[in-house]
Amino acid sequence: MDTIGTGPAPDPAPRRRGRRRRIALAALVALAVLPAVAAARPGAAASHAAGTSAAASLPATDAPPEWGSTAGVWAGHNYDLANTRATKRTSITSKNVAGLKVKWRFALDSNEFFGTFSSNPIVVGGTVYLIDLNSKVSALDQATGRVKWQRSFDSPNVGPNGVAYGWGLLFGTTHTGVFALDPRTGATVWSRELVKEGDGGVDIAPQLYDRTVVVSTVPSTLTTYAPGSMGTVWAFDAATGTPKWSFNTIKDGYLWGHPEINSGGGLWFPPGVDDRGRVFVAVGDPAPFPGTSEYPNGASRPGPNLYTNSLVALDGKTGKVLWYQQVAPHDLRDYDLHISPIITYATLNGVRTEVVVVAGKMGSVHAYRADDGKPLWSLPVGRHQNDTGPLPDQPVQVYPGIFGGVQTPMSVSDGRLFVPWVDASSPMSSTSYDFPDLASGTGGILAVDVATGKVLWKRDLPSENFGAATVANDVVFTSTYDGTIYGLDVRTGKTLWSTTTKAGINSFPAVVGDTLYIGAASPIFFDQPVPEFLAYSLS
């Protein structure tokens, strides 16, 4: 996504990938070592073929029992298997949201320019669980913020990462592997190394269904992309960590023209899972980008570079491809289609129809039929400039840039889709790129009709929106990199509540009961930032 080019990359800011400093990583104590590229390699699948008949035989899908057992739960990264990030099991509404105040604070570790926390907390059974960018897991008392236990893996991670709770276990990832912990003590139940340090990374929060844990590797290390690395989706047995299936996000397992130079694919955010057993994965970009001095404009990787920048529907039992749709073929601009796919329903031609909505750094949102991948609508968001076609030999300003477009998860509620976006340009040529000046970037959030793609309202914000969208009844929350949290009316976008934290925000909230939980731990706009995790409550 962010840190590949013809030479060493500068220190990045929020959209995640790549610090120049060398860090010695402690490997997980693994039950087994799994090669990063030894994934299942399904045969060719047409863009939207095989989906309807294959899906018809798929069994119903079950979320972990804890996810629906009580109103006081946010157990997965995006709340549910459909990735809606929307809850009605909260007392927060448009009528009382202005009463939110800090209930408690938990100090986070400082962590250079990159920040400390870029994920979504979860809340289960009176405990708030979070994982920072050094892969340290903390369990906090939901009422007081007091530490119950902490478990440090000392494995720096560029994020987004996260934890998920199911079947009595807490699941998460380090930069090289996946683990299951006892949520009462933090003791390891099982762990697996997925990729050797230097050969790629793991930066995703787990998704859980049918006693299965799904994670993914990516080709990105802490500093760059690893040549020859292919992102792989892995499905493990939740109780034992035994592999069930894997899916290589590079079609046919071949890195195009010059595999010794190229890399690509992988997932950055959790997939969506529907009640027919389909798993929808949004795949990252190919590399190198934009190109090298020897191979400008991605000439080392001819063709569309499937399955990069694609929405792929998989059979959740086997990992077999049902259908796919590629949004940005032969990407030159780091335009990952990486945001968690949202599964929802819309009335189309009088028929209630399952729809999958996805977005990414190319600054566009796309809706497809869930059964066969047929396109329904697409919508550009934010500013666009020099964003198509080959790049010239001399740098031009490109919008969306490396940190632009739709960077963090969307939300859907009652037929409205809420899309956060970032306007930040990057200078790019056919062989090089640079990072944007985030201090001058902006962003916003808009509401879209799921059935038609029509914009219902739009709010411009003075800073980059790396804070996702989260709905609590009739309030949509989002946050910006300057440390401002907004509570907006879902119908109009009008500000109902806002507050400013002591550090920038590059993470997303969970809403449980009468409380919003969020981390503020990015230092870019602050001389002496105070990284902390906060609980804002009505009581």
Side-chain angles (χ1 to χ4, degrees):
M1 284 164 62
D2 298 332
T3 58
I4 186 67
T6 59
D11 284 347
R15 254 289 2 142
R16 321 282 199 242
R17 295 185 238 182
R19 275 171 284 188
R20 293 185 62 187
R21 66 185 178 110
R22 298 285 182 179
I23 306 172
L25 297 182
L28 287 170
V29 180
L31 296 179
V33 177
L34 304 175
V37 298
R41 297 175 181 174
S47 283
H48 40 87
T52 305
S53 58
S57 62
L58 296 176
T61 305
D62 292 325
E66 296 92 347
W67 289 32
S69 61
T70 174
V73 167
W74 186 298
H77 188 275
N78 293 314
Y79 186 67
D80 51 24
L81 291 182
N83 292 320
T84 65
R85 298 192 60 82
T87 176
K88 296 183 185 295
R89 294 178 165 185
T90 171
S91 57
I92 298 173
T93 69
S94 60
K95 297 184 184 302
N96 60 24
V97 65
L100 285 175
K101 293 180 174 58
V102 174
K103 183 175 183 179
W104 52 257
R105 304 173 186 268
F106 170 69
L108 295 169
D109 297 333
S110 296
N111 193 12
E112 295 186 357
F113 177 78
F114 195 70
T116 304
F117 182 74
S118 68
S119 187
N120 198 102
I122 65 169
V123 184
V124 182
T127 303
V128 179
Y129 299 96
L130 56 137
I131 185 169
D132 67 17
L133 290 180
N134 201 39
S135 301
K136 181 168 73 175
V137 183
S138 298
L140 310 178
D141 184 272
Q142 182 179 353
T144 66
R146 178 183 60 84
V147 175
K148 292 185 174 181
W149 56 259
Q150 291 184 303
R151 174 68 189 278
S152 179
F153 288 94
D154 191 24
S155 178
N157 185 298
V158 297
N161 54 1
V163 290
Y165 193 111
W167 311 290
L169 296 174
L170 182 70
F171 302 93
T173 56
T174 68
H175 189 57
T176 58
V178 57
F179 59 78
L181 304 180
D182 183 329
R184 299 166 299 178
T185 65
T188 299
V189 177
W190 59 260
S191 63
R192 286 191 175 270
E193 185 177 70
L194 305 183
V195 60
K196 292 292 187 182
E197 174 57 27
D199 292 339
V202 183
D203 301 306
I204 188 174
Q207 183 63 289
L208 312 180
Y209 70 94
D210 289 350
R211 297 192 175 272
T212 301
V213 181
V214 176
V215 295
S216 177
T217 65
V218 288
S220 172
T221 68
L222 288 175
T223 58
T224 187
Y225 276 39
S229 181
M230 295 179 272
T232 300
V233 181
W234 287 98
F236 298 99
D237 181 270
T240 65
T242 303
K244 289 186 171 183
W245 55 260
S246 59
F247 168 65
N248 192 334
T249 60
I250 302 304
K251 188 174 184 292
D252 300 324
Y254 174 65
L255 279 168
W256 318 297
H258 291 271
E260 74 281 5
I261 297 173
N262 304 327
S263 62
L267 275 59
W268 293 87
F269 284 102
V273 185
D274 74 0
D275 58 8
R276 303 290 294 276
R278 291 177 285 233
V279 175
F280 300 93
V281 301
V283 183
D285 63 309
F289 62 83
T292 67
S293 56
E294 185 177 4
Y295 298 102
N297 277 315
S300 65
R301 45 180 178 83
N305 306 151
L306 290 168
Y307 294 109
T308 65
N309 298 346
S310 298
L311 175 64
V312 185
L314 305 176
D315 182 320
K317 295 294 184 184
T318 66
K320 178 183 176 182
V321 174
L322 303 175
W323 56 260
Y324 68 88
Q325 286 285 1
Q326 188 175 43
V327 171
H330 192 71
D331 174 27
L332 304 177
R333 295 168 173 83
D334 191 29
Y335 279 170
D336 303 74
L337 188 76
H338 67 298
I339 300 301
S340 288
I342 290 178
I343 301 160
T344 187
Y345 285 84
T347 300
L348 306 177
N349 298 319
V351 178
R352 186 173 184 264
T353 304
E354 186 179 349
V355 175
V356 183
V357 186
V358 69
K361 292 173 61 180
M362 71 290 298
S364 56
V365 186
H366 304 265
Y368 303 95
R369 287 181 59 106
D371 57 356
D372 60 7
K374 179 181 178 181
L376 298 174
W377 54 261
S378 62
L379 176 72
V381 297
R383 183 174 177 180
H384 290 258
Q385 176 181 303
N386 297 319
D387 64 333
T388 60
L391 287 158
D393 293 338
Q394 297 302 313
V396 294
Q397 290 296 322
V398 173
Y399 282 90
I402 296 296
F403 295 145
V406 184
Q407 289 277 356
T408 52
M410 305 178 290
S411 178
V412 70
S413 179
D414 297 329
R416 294 183 180 92
L417 176 74
F418 302 93
V419 185
W421 87 86
V422 173
D423 282 332
S425 70
S426 293
M428 292 188 183
S429 73
S430 61
T431 60
S432 66
Y433 74 91
D434 203 351
F435 292 107
D437 176 12
L438 287 176
S440 63
T442 60
I445 185 170
L446 52 82
V448 181
D449 183 280
V450 168
T452 64
K454 177 184 177 181
V455 175
L456 302 175
W457 55 257
K458 174 185 172 185
R459 275 292 306 272
D460 294 310
L461 299 173
S463 178
E464 296 91 339
N465 190 337
F466 295 114
T470 304
V471 174
N473 291 311
D474 56 352
V475 180
V476 55
F477 291 101
T478 195
S479 58
T480 48
Y481 203 48
D482 62 0
T484 305
I485 308 171
Y486 298 88
L488 310 176
D489 190 306
V490 297
R491 296 173 294 270
T492 65
K494 177 184 176 182
T495 299
L496 302 171
W497 170 80
S498 67
T499 190
T500 302
T501 59
K502 298 177 181 179
I505 300 176
N506 182 28
S507 65
F508 331 126
V511 178
V512 175
D514 67 353
T515 306
L516 180 147
Y517 303 89
I518 192 169
S522 296
I524 189 170
F525 290 103
F526 300 82
D527 293 331
Q528 293 181 316
V530 180
E532 56 187 358
F533 184 83
L534 302 110
Y536 291 91
S537 178
L538 295 176
S539 59

